[in-house]
Amino acid sequence: MPATYHLRVAGLERELPLVEVAPGLAIASFVILGDAELVEAAAPEIARRLPPVDFVVSAEAKGIPLAQELSRILGLKRYLVARKSIKPYMIDPLVTEVVSITTQKKQILCLDGKDAAAVCGRRVAVVDDVISTGASLEAVEHLVKSAGGTVAARAAILAEGEAAERNDIIFLEKLPLFKSAAGRPA
């Protein structure tokens, strides 16, 4: 049985397995894909803290359920997803590169040209499940700004490591980084 981290968020509790992502560095693996109960509990708490926005945008893939639920709560008809690859149906996509703590390799994020046109002149909330290094968040922000949108808010269910000290993001709970899979906070 791997070491775990006990998380309390939005009135719920979860045991998160500790996973080594680099030599001597482990994270508590927080995956909201499939956890409808957690998304439905966390989204209203985040929505209450958001300023008025016209769109919610998230990077593919783990932030998508949160973007969906926030959009529903806020009465928004659409949310947008920055995809990890250019799809054949995309017309004039905006593209940027990112290296996140969980992928640890260079990847692209792209926004379909029609989605880019939709955010032009609009206020956007950039959301994700967890903000750690902030690299994915910054990449999505770059896409929004390149499209002419304004980033009105940055939000996540959890802020990990140094991100928890930032005052420019909305989050519900802190998540520590760990020195090893043995479970010692970094």
Side-chain angles (χ1 to χ4, degrees):
M1 178 85 136
T4 62
Y5 175 76
H6 186 79
L7 174 70
R8 287 186 183 100
V9 63
L12 301 174
E13 297 185 24
R14 297 291 185 268
E15 285 298 322
L16 306 179
L18 298 185
V19 179
E20 193 166 56
V21 294
L25 177 64
I27 62 170
S29 180
F30 179 70
V31 179
I32 63 172
L33 293 173
D35 195 341
E37 179 185 41
L38 194 141
V39 172
E40 289 175 6
E45 291 190 32
I46 293 171
R48 281 191 283 278
R49 301 176 191 191
L50 289 176
V53 296
D54 302 303
F55 284 99
V56 173
V57 180
S58 185
E60 189 176 37
K62 292 189 332 182
I64 293 173
L66 180 60
Q68 162 73 33
E69 187 63 9
L70 282 171
S71 296
R72 187 189 67 74
I73 290 167
L74 297 171
L76 304 175
K77 293 180 181 180
R78 293 181 62 207
Y79 63 93
L80 307 175
V81 177
R83 303 294 304 265
K84 291 183 180 177
S85 63
I86 297 172
K87 304 298 180 189
Y89 59 78
M90 292 181 172
I91 300 170
D92 298 324
L94 294 179
V95 180
T96 193
E97 291 184 344
V98 64
V99 177
S100 76
I101 193 170
T102 52
T103 59
Q104 296 189 340
K105 63 180 181 177
K106 192 180 292 186
Q107 62 183 15
I108 67 165
L109 283 178
C110 53
L111 196 58
D112 190 342
K114 72 175 177 50
D115 293 340
V119 301
C120 184
R122 302 298 183 121
R123 294 173 49 85
V124 173
V126 177
V127 304
D128 209 344
D129 60 337
V130 179
I131 297 172
S132 188
T133 65
S136 297
L137 183 78
E138 289 172 13
V140 175
E141 282 190 48
H142 175 76
L143 291 171
V144 168
K145 290 175 183 176
S146 294
T150 300
V151 176
R154 299 156 190 85
I157 298 171
L158 304 175
E160 184 174 57
E162 291 181 11
E165 305 308 317
R166 291 176 57 170
N167 60 10
D168 66 329
I169 58 175
I170 297 164
F171 64 93
L172 302 181
E173 296 294 336
K174 296 179 180 183
L175 188 63
L177 292 171
F178 299 87
K179 288 188 179 181
S180 72
R184 294 186 309 257

